[in-house]
Each structure stands twice: as structure tokens, then as C-alpha cells.
Amino acid sequence: MAKWLVKSEPDECGIDDFARDPQGVIPWDGVRNYQARNFLAQMQEGDEVFIYHSSCKHIGIAGIVRVAKSAYPDPLQFDPDSRYFDAKSSPDKPRWQAVDLSFVRKLPKLISLDRIKSLQGLTDLPLVRKGTRLSVMPVSDHDWETILTLDATPNGH
DNA sequence: GCCAACGTTGGC
DNA sequence: GCCAACGTTGGC
């Protein structure tokens, strides 16, 4: 089972939005970067995903969600009223993908970017590479476990 | 709100 | 296919 990380702005779609409806799903749409899209397309149902809060006061990993539905054409690309509308895309040849995500858990304490950066031995994680703006990225099993050593949940998970 | 780093666009 | 201009991301 592959592991991933997605960035979100907590006021738009943060971990609390998932926690509010733990049985529901949230479409992860509006991704308009090719590299990020390619990773979205690789996600499989059941994969676990870190929710990372960016562009906000408390930057870092706030929780874990799960892929509830693997990639399908992002409906927003066909909606002229959406800011994610793409006139160059068409239903028979969709350009952008979305997945559905569902709540797993909120971390009792956010794992800050500072602490993630201080970890030794992370493999080539784009999140901590300088200048990277990738909003969807794979996380190796090794990095996933390493990051979770900073999780304050008693008795593991 | 600043600004560096990056991706995308479009003229040539 | 180059590359300058532009827009966006995202930490600070």
C-alpha cells in the first residue's frame, strides 16, 4: 500500500473538515499541476495520505486520511463557473484527475515542518526539498514511519 | 506582505 | 524548441 502526502490550506480543506464528517468523503479536486496529477492518478483505494497544512500559522502534518476512491476525471475542469475550469480539456479526453479521500485520524499534536526538517535520514522527500511546490507527493514507507515517530499518540495507533 | 523558486505560456 | 514574461506557491 503506497503512502502519500497532500498539501491543503486548513481554512479551505484541512483535517478538521475531514473530522467533521468521519464517514464522508471529500473530493480532492482542483489539482492543476501535471506532476501532482500524475501522482493522484497512481493512488489506490486504501492508500494512506498525510494531510499537510500549508500557508497558515501552524505549518505541518495535521492528520491522516485514506483514499476512498481512486482517480477519476476532475469534474471542475468542465465547469465554466469554476476557477478550475480548463477550456482545453474535454470529457472524452480529460486532462485533470481527482480522488476521494476519507478521514482516518487527526494527530493529537501537529507535526511541524521544523520537526520534519530536523529528522535524519529522510529519503528524497519533496516536502523538505528547497523550492518545491509539489502539492501531491509520494512518501516512502521508511519516511512515513520516521515521521510518525514524532506522533504523540499513546500506544501507537 | 515580501520574495525566491518554480511551472506555464506564448512569441519567435 | 528556446526563453522571457508572467502567475503561483508557500515559508518567512
Side-chain angles (χ1 to χ4, degrees):
Chain A
M1 213 69 94
K3 310 250 192 286
W4 307 92
L5 180 147
V6 298
K7 294 179 181 174
S8 78
E9 299 190 11
D11 1 337
E12 288 190 6
C13 201
I15 194 65
D16 288 332
D17 295 287
F18 285 95
R20 203 168 293 128
D21 181 14
Q23 310 305 321
V25 302
I26 293 182
W28 211 255
D29 49 22
V31 171
R32 292 296 179 268
N33 168 282
Y34 288 102
Q35 204 182 348
R37 176 205 63 183
N38 294 343
F39 287 131
L40 273 188
Q42 293 172 31
M43 289 185 180
Q44 297 293 321
E45 193 176 322
D47 285 358
E48 287 191 307
V49 183
F50 280 141
I51 293 289
Y52 174 87
H53 287 174
S54 68
S55 302
C56 60
K57 181 145 188 211
H58 301 291
I59 298 166
I61 294 171
I64 297 173
V65 298
R66 188 184 305 281
V67 177
K69 184 182 178 189
S70 60
Y72 57 92
D74 179 350
L76 300 182
Q77 68 194 309
F78 310 125
D79 176 3
D81 295 327
S82 170
R83 62 177 286 216
Y84 298 111
F85 177 68
D86 185 345
K88 293 179 184 164
S89 190
S90 64
D92 53 309
K93 222 181 166 195
R95 179 179 290 194
W96 305 110
Q97 303 280 112
V99 298
D100 286 348
L101 300 177
S102 63
F103 184 68
V104 173
R105 68 187 178 94
K106 180 175 177 172
L107 301 188
K109 191 168 184 293
L110 176 129
I111 298 176
S112 71
L113 178 59
D114 279 351
R115 298 189 73 207
I116 297 167
K117 280 182 175 168
S118 75
L119 287 170
Q120 302 295 310
L122 289 183
T123 58
D124 204 22
L125 186 65
L127 183 71
V128 295
R129 211 185 301 142
K130 187 182 170 178
T132 186
R133 299 179 344 195
L134 194 58
S135 63
V136 179
M137 67 189 75
V139 178
S140 69
D141 287 340
H142 171 268
D143 289 356
W144 182 275
E145 292 306 323
T146 303
I147 289 168
L148 280 182
T149 61
L150 301 177
D151 178 20
T153 303
N155 308 319
H157 321 123

